[in-house]
Amino acid sequence: MILKPDSTLVHTLYPSPNIEERRAGSRPDIIILHYTGMSSAEKAIGWLANPVSKVSCHYVVDEDGRITQMVEEEKRAWHAGVSHWGGNTDINSASIGIEIQNTGHEHGYPDFPLPQMEAVAALCRDIAKRHGVPAERILAHSDIAPGRKLDPGEKFNWAWLARHGVGHWVPPASIDDASAQLLDDDSAAITDTLALMRAYGYGIDNPERSDWLSVLVRSFQLHFRPQRADGRLDAGTLDTLTRLVAALPDRATS
């Protein structure tokens, strides 16, 4: 099959063989943002097109904003891995994956340049419009795979993205003495936090990990309270989470 661009924003086509049909009639209604974790977009694209890697994505966005499409949007790419969102564990069949060139936490973790952010925003808006992807279903890899993935991480500017029409966002609680009050030994606060995280879409059950609350909290913080993503449940994190869930479309109109 010849790869054809799904978006007018695409600069280059580089087909990956690591694809299959979406399962059980699934259609994409989630966008997942990743970072490549590699030294260059060229190397990332080479790996994502290598049959040995058994990974792929729909798009790669380079630091200069150039967009490469690797998999047709109608196909299932292999980018999410073991993941969960809103009760769904086959996120690859429900999503479009965008890899953003960044060396990642293990290799210096630089800032995301403005031309790259502008390209990501434009691509997300284009995909979301064509597929009807709700703002709250534009997610980080760390949201769908807590503890296993950190990307795109605390330096990725979700607030800027929201100002440019992409994603669901509320201003996070300020970092002050009141918001820093720790609640990770408060059983009522823990119960509320888990219920709210489930309501938002996070998979909250993992009986094999004794540190699962911390893992979940950090994953939430990486996206929605990046000023302090330490995995501690504090009053500011719970406040941000409460307001975020309340701002969901079905909550805000009820």
Side-chain angles (χ1 to χ4, degrees):
M1 180 180 294
I2 298 174
L3 177 62
K4 297 179 181 179
D6 286 300
S7 171
T8 59
L9 300 171
V10 170
H11 297 92
T12 307
L13 297 171
Y14 199 113
S16 172
N18 302 329
I19 61 172
E20 57 193 332
E21 298 297 323
R22 295 184 183 272
R23 296 176 181 169
S26 296
R27 63 176 186 83
D29 65 354
I30 302 173
I31 298 172
I32 305 297
L33 302 185
H34 309 251
Y35 63 42
T36 65
M38 300 188 76
S39 61
S40 70
E42 182 180 12
K43 288 186 177 180
I45 289 167
W47 183 241
L48 291 160
N50 188 333
V52 173
S53 74
K54 298 190 183 299
V55 292
S56 60
C57 66
H58 295 89
Y59 297 98
V60 177
V61 182
D62 207 341
E63 293 166 316
D64 62 2
R66 290 185 62 82
I67 298 171
T68 299
Q69 183 166 1
M70 303 193 70
V71 174
E72 287 182 280
E73 291 177 5
E74 69 175 21
K75 300 297 185 182
R76 183 181 188 269
W78 304 343
H79 61 95
V82 178
S83 52
H84 177 287
W85 193 257
N88 186 356
T89 57
D90 184 7
I91 303 302
N92 279 336
S93 285
S95 65
I96 290 172
I98 301 174
E99 290 277 359
I100 303 163
Q101 172 54 33
N102 188 287
T103 56
H105 289 83
E106 295 183 1
H107 303 285
Y109 193 37
D111 293 334
F112 295 83
L114 181 59
Q116 185 178 54
M117 291 296 297
E118 290 174 336
V120 170
L123 181 59
C124 285
R125 288 193 299 266
D126 180 52
I127 294 169
K129 181 178 181 179
R130 287 186 286 104
H131 291 281
V133 178
E136 67 274 14
R137 290 174 75 83
I138 300 176
L139 302 167
H141 200 187
S142 55
D143 291 320
I144 63 168
R148 192 174 65 82
K149 294 295 181 179
L150 298 174
D151 56 313
E154 68 278 7
K155 286 187 176 182
F156 188 74
N157 198 336
W158 290 96
W160 182 95
L161 211 61
R163 292 196 299 272
H164 289 80
V166 176
H168 186 227
W169 182 260
V170 298
S174 60
I175 303 297
D176 55 28
D177 290 343
S179 67
Q181 178 188 355
L182 293 178
L183 303 173
D184 44 13
D185 288 323
D186 183 326
S187 59
I190 292 170
T191 298
D192 289 346
T193 297
L194 292 174
L196 288 164
M197 292 192 80
R198 185 193 293 277
Y200 198 72
Y202 287 91
I204 68 167
D205 300 315
N206 190 333
E208 297 179 1
R209 292 196 62 158
S210 60
D211 63 343
W212 190 237
L213 175 66
S214 176
V215 168
L216 282 173
V217 168
R218 187 183 183 202
S219 294
F220 173 81
Q221 292 168 335
L222 285 168
H223 185 158
F224 296 106
R225 214 284 300 274
Q227 305 98 311
R228 184 182 294 164
D230 59 3
R232 301 298 301 272
L233 177 58
D234 55 40
T237 298
L238 180 54
D239 172 69
T240 304
L241 174 59
T242 301
R243 288 184 290 109
L244 187 76
V245 172
L248 285 169
D250 61 340
R251 303 286 183 109
T253 59
S254 60

